[in-house]
């Protein structure tokens, strides 16, 4: 599948899909607290998505049974919401969500601490987010795709973290997953040349320990092999001739304060 270049109209639809997803994440961030179940998060997320006339991208995607992927502690991604899985103080939780607006997808993930978390956990969440911003310094027309990958991987590895290699970011548009695949580590090729109008979901998944992961018997939940903590941070971005546009992080939402820059 070739990489699609979005028209001005398509970009406007993707931007709206992104703004709505930003609101979904803001609503979820507000309610996170010890004692709630991961299914509570999924229920609220789906409700907010539908309240904007959107469809959850993930629900029934390849058989995935929920709207929000909720991954706790050593779970990397694709955790399945469960009414019996109760969040407790000190946990970290990654929320990955996608919406379809008028046929166009947006995709974004955040990792949060529940109540007070360890220094180690907070550092992991911060470095994961920072690695995304390090990567997208290279997300500009004329650069190569794997410039982004290498920058993300280098940033996390230099700080002693394990960079997940089995899962990648991806192009996005009328499909949740489009070409190209976007690794989070250095490659021995340059990758395709970036062009204005490409829309990409860049999503580092970073482990406190080793990079290796396993799949649980539910066929979905990805966990760190050494059961160390893992964090995830993702935005849908638009390549331009200049700085990339962060479609799922516009800074216009109500929760944009200096301390809460998720
Ligand atoms: N952000 C995730 C990804 O890009 C989407 C979850 S996959 C699903 O892979 F199957 F759960 F939808
Ligand atoms: Co994604």
């Amino acid at each position: 599948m070739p990489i699609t270049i979005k028209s001005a109209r398509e970009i406007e639809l993707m931007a709206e899909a992104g703004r709505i997803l930003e609101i979904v994440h803001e609503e979820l961030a507000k309610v996170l607290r010890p004692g709630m179940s991961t299914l509570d998060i999924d229920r609220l997320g789906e409700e907010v998505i539908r309240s904007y006339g959107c469809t959850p991208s993930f629900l029934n995607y390849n058989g995935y049974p929920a709207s929000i992927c909720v991954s706790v502690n050593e779970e990397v991604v694709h955790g399945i919401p469960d009414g019996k899985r109760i969040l407790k103080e000190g946990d970290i939780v990654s929320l990955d969500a996608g919406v379809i607006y008028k046929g166009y997808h947006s995709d974004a993930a955040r990792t949060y601490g529940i109540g007070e978390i360890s220094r180690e956990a907070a550092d992991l969440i911060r470095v994961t987010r920072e690695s995304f911003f390090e990567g997208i310094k290279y997300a500009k027309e004329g650069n190569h795709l794997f410039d982004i990958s290498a920058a993300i991987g280098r940033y996390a590895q230099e700080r002693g973290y394990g960079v997940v290699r089995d899962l990648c970011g991806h192009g996005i548009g009328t499909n949740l997953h489009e070409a190209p695949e976007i690794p989070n580590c250095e490659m021995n090729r340059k990758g395709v040349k970036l062009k204005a109008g490409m829309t990409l979901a860049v999503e580092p998944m970073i482990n406190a320990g080793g990079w290796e992961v396993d799949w649980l018997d539910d066929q979905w939940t990805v966990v760190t092999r050494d059961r160390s903590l893992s964090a995830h941070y993702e935005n849908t971005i638009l390549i331009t001739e200049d700085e990339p546009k962060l479609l799922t992080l516009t800074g216009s939402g109500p929760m944009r304060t200096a301390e809460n820059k998720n």
Side-chain angles (χ1 to χ4, degrees), residues 16 34 63 74 98 103 109 120 122 138 188 195 245:
E16 186 59 18
E74 75 281 2
E120 177 200 27
Y138 299 86
N188 50 23
K195 282 209 189 95
K245 269 219 169 84

Side-chain angles (χ1 to χ4, degrees), residues 96 107 170 177 201 203 234:
D96 190 355
D107 186 2
H170 49 92
H177 293 139
E203 50 178 319
E234 175 180 28

Side-chain angles (χ1 to χ4, degrees), residues 58 78 96-97 106-109 168-172 176-177 201-203 205 232 234-236:
F58 301 171
H78 303 169
D96 190 355
S106 58
D107 186 2
C168 293
H170 49 92
I172 182 168
L176 173 61
H177 293 139
V202 177
E203 50 178 319
M205 289 152 268
H232 186 199
E234 175 180 28
N235 284 300
T236 299

